[in-house]
Amino acid sequence: MDTFEWNSGYSVRFGLHHVDFTNPTRPRTAKRSAIYYSEVIRSNGIPLQKEDEFLYGEFRPNFAWSVASAAYQIEGAWRTDGKGLSIWDKYTHSLGRIANDENGDVACDSYHRLDQDVALLKNLRVTHYRFSISWPRVLPDGTRSYVNEAGLNYYSKLVDALLAANIQPQVTIYHWDLPQSLQDVGGWENETIVERFKDYADLLFDRLGDRVKFWITLNEPYIIANLGHGYGTAAPGIFNRPGRGPYEAGHNLIKAHAEAWHLYNSTYRAKQGGLISITINSDWAEPRNPYKQEDIDAARRYMMFYGGWFANPIFNNGDYNEIMKSRVWERSLAQGLAKSRLPEFTEQQKKRIKGTYDFFGFNHYTTTLTSPLNFRQSVESYDADRGVASMADRTWLGSGSIWLKVTPFGFRRILNWIKEEFNNPPIYVTENGISERGTDLNDVWREHYFKHYVNEALKAATYDGVDLRGYTAWCLMDNFEWAAGYAERFGFYYTNYTDLTRIPKESSKYYRQLIRCNGFPDPKNVSHPCLQPEPEGKMTERITSEPAPADNPESVSFLGMQISTSDAMVALYVEFALLLAAVLGIILFSVVYSKLRKKLKLAELF
């Protein structure tokens, strides 16, 4: 129990039971720790709960195993073949925005290395590949006034190459790289962007939809709205405009998504037969003290202001959630405003937005601990409206990104949150992964991350009835990581930014095995096909800038050239003979030179 703690008096408490020192009778009350310790005694140890044990099992048949990338992060070729400027081109060329003032001008040069990227995917044996299309590469000024056929042809060739490799394309229409010409007239804060986005989507459906059967309208609208128009730490770099903040951009993003969905649904779905939805991202919020109601309430607000901001209108009732609406409304009134800073949808818009999904695309990486945080009423910001402080537990494993802590338990909990809040929609995890800094290819931390996160996803599907249809790892190769530049590496393949070679990390083999096994078959079942040693295959150990031609599997790289193995043997013998001749020549020269020196010395003596 709490006691008199020497020099600290009664201010420091070690006890399993709380003692009320203000009461003369000194009543004792069991703390939660006392209850837990009694369970440890009763169990004679700390056995794992059934749900915490590692689950051996497999995902549903035809589970979609994917890996992801994004156009600006890998393509480079920023002014090639008629591509227009994007807001990220401008943002990264502004000093002080990006670590080391780096940019995506070249990135991984994927625009010129299409075949090389497809070879990486084939080595992983993914069933799907999620990539994004650069809006300014196909529509340089953001409108249909001029279609850049060269840029569009790049994506058409990529789709064809994927299908030839039996890999299904998952296409993200917008992954943050807005044409700068549209930003010049207000970007996502100008309602005309809704029609512009619909026109852009229409072009892609028309030109690629015969082969693409999986569409994502927008990637992470929270980042676009709040980091781009609130914090200003992402393009276009707008910092919290008074009276507007990130909410106006978010409002137009939701309407743009809905219009693209309806366009596909009414015009293209019948003849193309694809799926279309949106990808929403969110951390999981855990109350800092799970036994304090104010911390529980803070966690709830965190979730509703993050994932719930965009999910509720689309997956529930066509409108923002009540927690978000009431918080922003109350603070807006207290600031002397006539209406809420959070825009309102009309009844017609609500009907238009509600149900515009075929699946729930979901990006998730980490968990945070939450508690209340009160701001002055005069502060107009997303954080002040939310009123939540967040922090990490110091025991959680870290990564190469300061914000990313390894918390697998949160993955299962947030998948269940989606199930409960949004009527158990089909879920495709469209990003999940971990970063590091440095050059160590033996990335055991990434294997650990995927093992335990994917296992929590399996538990959510198996134990909890979450309708999980697919999983996408972030990401294919190290690339430009936005404000962090090239310092943070998320890839299965290490990118050497000097010569742009891609080198497989150990984790690529682990993910390949996960895909091959469709999960985690019980190791006791030694007869399971995927637990048999994989035949020595063609998993490339180093993908160079000039890979061997696909129609000549017997070719090898020799002095930077691709030649046949027989020619390579001949060349090797010739090289060896020349080397031997050179060595003999050096020896002969040394002998002759030594004799000549002796003769000269004798001549000097006489």
Side-chain angles (χ1 to χ4, degrees):
M1 72 187 81
D2 298 333
T3 62
F4 177 78
E5 285 298 335
W6 310 109
N7 292 343
S8 298
Y10 296 104
S11 62
V12 176
R13 295 172 177 265
F14 282 84
L16 294 172
H17 290 77
H18 175 270
V19 177
D20 184 357
F21 293 110
T22 64
N23 190 322
T25 64
R26 300 294 194 267
R28 283 86 157 142
T29 305
K31 302 177 186 177
R32 174 60 192 163
S33 57
I35 300 170
Y36 178 75
Y37 189 51
S38 69
E39 293 171 354
V40 171
I41 295 170
R42 189 181 309 113
S43 302
N44 195 31
I46 310 177
L48 284 174
Q49 298 293 322
K50 179 68 177 176
E51 66 176 18
D52 293 328
E53 294 177 358
F54 194 85
L55 174 62
Y56 291 105
E58 298 174 36
F59 289 93
R60 66 172 68 206
N62 300 318
F63 192 75
W65 289 99
S66 186
V67 67
S69 69
Y72 186 79
Q73 294 180 269
I74 67 168
E75 285 180 4
W78 74 301
R79 299 306 300 270
T80 299
D81 289 344
K83 176 187 171 294
L85 289 177
S86 78
I87 55 174
W88 273 95
D89 291 322
K90 180 176 179 179
Y91 187 79
T92 58
H93 285 87
S94 304
L95 293 178
R97 295 288 200 176
I98 309 297
N100 301 316
D101 286 324
E102 293 168 334
N103 56 57
D105 293 2
V106 177
C108 304
D109 196 33
S110 286
Y111 185 77
H112 297 113
R113 297 164 190 260
L114 185 153
D115 292 338
Q116 196 172 334
D117 288 355
V118 173
L120 303 183
L121 295 164
K122 290 167 69 174
N123 288 332
L124 284 177
R125 294 190 179 174
V126 291
T127 62
H128 293 68
Y129 175 45
R130 181 189 173 211
F131 64 93
S132 76
I133 291 178
S134 169
W135 190 341
R137 193 177 294 284
V138 299
L139 296 176
D141 70 353
T143 75
R144 294 284 289 269
S145 62
Y146 170 66
V147 176
N148 182 26
E149 294 294 340
L152 193 56
N153 187 52
Y154 165 72
Y155 298 108
S156 183
K157 286 169 59 181
L158 175 57
V159 168
D160 287 344
L162 292 171
L163 294 175
N166 199 28
I167 298 171
Q168 295 301 311
Q170 297 172 309
V171 176
T172 303
I173 297 173
Y174 182 76
H175 197 130
W176 307 356
D177 46 355
L178 186 72
Q180 181 60 42
S181 57
L182 294 183
Q183 183 60 42
D184 292 340
V185 294
W188 288 107
E189 293 178 312
N190 184 338
E191 193 172 12
T192 60
I193 193 72
V194 174
E195 197 63 28
R196 296 300 188 195
F197 182 74
K198 180 182 176 182
D199 288 345
Y200 164 51
D202 186 34
L203 171 68
L204 301 187
F205 298 151
D206 179 55
R207 301 290 288 273
L208 301 176
D210 59 326
R211 290 157 289 160
V212 174
K213 306 303 176 186
F214 192 105
W215 296 96
I216 295 168
T217 55
L218 304 167
N219 179 73
E220 299 184 347
Y222 170 88
I223 301 295
I224 303 165
N226 197 29
L227 272 65
H229 300 80
Y231 298 156
T233 55
I238 297 169
F239 178 74
N240 203 42
R241 285 179 175 153
R244 298 167 74 180
Y247 301 130
E248 192 166 1
H251 204 63
N252 288 327
L253 283 160
I254 293 169
K255 289 187 289 184
H257 155 78
E259 289 308 310
W261 188 91
H262 280 291
L263 171 67
Y264 187 83
N265 190 56
S266 62
T267 306
Y268 293 97
R269 189 189 298 277
K271 59 184 176 182
Q272 294 183 356
L275 302 174
I276 182 169
S277 200
I278 189 171
T279 277
I280 290 169
N281 67 305
S282 184
D283 299 342
W284 171 244
E286 192 75 13
R288 188 169 68 175
N289 184 339
Y291 305 102
K292 289 181 68 175
Q293 187 60 46
E294 53 263 45
D295 288 3
I296 296 171
D297 293 342
R300 176 84 174 150
R301 283 200 307 279
Y302 185 96
M303 295 303 301
M304 285 304 179
F305 267 79
Y306 201 160
W309 178 358
F310 296 94
N312 204 79
I314 295 165
F315 294 88
N316 266 348
N317 61 4
D319 197 7
Y320 298 114
N321 63 79
E322 289 302 320
I323 289 176
M324 193 171 183
K325 286 169 64 176
S326 62
R327 290 279 301 188
V328 181
W329 168 247
E330 290 167 5
R331 290 186 62 84
S332 298
L333 289 182
Q335 290 156 1
L337 300 177
K339 62 179 182 179
S340 175
R341 285 179 283 104
L342 182 67
E344 294 183 4
F345 294 114
T346 66
E347 290 304 314
Q348 185 178 0
Q349 287 171 340
K350 291 176 188 177
K351 293 177 182 177
R352 188 76 172 161
I353 293 165
K354 179 182 177 181
T356 53
Y357 70 90
D358 295 332
F359 56 87
F360 194 116
F362 183 52
N363 294 354
H364 174 76
Y365 291 87
T366 194
T367 292
T368 191
L369 299 177
T370 56
S371 59
L373 179 63
N374 294 320
F375 288 76
R376 295 190 310 275
Q377 283 290 358
S378 59
V379 177
E380 291 185 16
S381 73
Y382 167 87
D383 285 326
D385 292 338
R386 185 175 63 177
V388 177
S390 61
M391 62 178 293
D393 188 311
R394 285 177 290 180
T395 65
W396 293 344
L397 295 175
S399 68
S401 308
I402 192 171
W403 55 270
L404 203 170
K405 306 298 180 183
V406 181
T407 51
F409 69 90
F411 196 21
R412 179 179 176 187
R413 293 179 188 182
I414 200 167
L415 289 172
N416 272 279
W417 177 78
I418 294 171
K419 174 194 171 188
E420 298 301 325
E421 289 288 338
F422 307 113
N423 306 310
N424 198 21
I427 299 174
Y428 285 85
V429 173
T430 44
E431 282 184 31
N432 179 239
I434 186 172
S435 62
E436 79 274 349
R437 294 172 181 251
T439 59
D440 190 354
L441 300 181
N442 186 23
D443 54 341
V444 292
W445 52 87
R446 183 166 286 107
E447 293 183 27
H448 173 271
Y449 184 97
F450 283 118
K451 177 179 180 180
H452 292 283
Y453 269 75
V454 174
N455 199 251
E456 290 300 310
L458 180 62
K459 291 176 185 177
T462 304
Y463 293 150
D464 310 327
V466 171
D467 189 4
L468 186 62
R469 304 287 182 90
Y471 175 87
T472 304
W474 181 268
C475 57
L476 178 59
M477 70 191 95
D478 299 334
N479 55 44
F480 179 81
E481 283 299 335
W482 309 112
Y486 295 101
E488 297 175 9
R489 295 175 175 267
F490 280 83
F492 284 120
Y493 289 84
Y494 175 87
T495 302
N496 182 334
Y497 293 113
T498 301
D499 61 8
L500 296 175
T501 53
R502 287 86 148 125
I503 307 168
K505 303 175 188 177
E506 285 299 309
S507 59
S508 65
K509 300 174 185 176
Y510 182 77
Y511 191 53
R512 174 186 170 107
Q513 181 69 1
L514 262 182
I515 296 169
R516 182 177 176 230
C517 294
N518 197 33
F520 307 91
D522 193 331
K524 295 177 183 177
N525 182 11
V526 294
S527 62
H528 194 287
C530 95
L531 296 178
Q532 306 305 311
E534 190 172 4
E536 289 297 326
K538 300 173 183 177
M539 183 169 183
T540 308
E541 290 302 317
R542 183 180 181 91
I543 308 295
T544 66
S545 57
E546 295 180 9
D551 60 350
N552 186 11
E554 297 300 317
S555 68
V556 297
S557 178
F558 184 83
L559 298 180
M561 301 178 291
Q562 292 297 327
I563 60 177
S564 68
T565 52
S566 59
D567 288 345
M569 290 295 293
V570 172
L572 189 61
Y573 289 138
V574 171
E575 185 180 27
F576 179 77
L578 291 173
L579 179 62
L580 184 61
V583 171
L584 291 174
I586 292 170
I587 294 172
L588 180 61
F589 175 82
S590 298
V591 172
V592 171
Y593 180 74
S594 177
K595 289 182 177 181
L596 183 61
R597 285 193 63 188
K598 286 181 180 180
K599 288 182 179 180
L600 290 172
K601 284 185 177 181
L602 287 172
E604 289 175 359
L605 289 174
F606 295 100

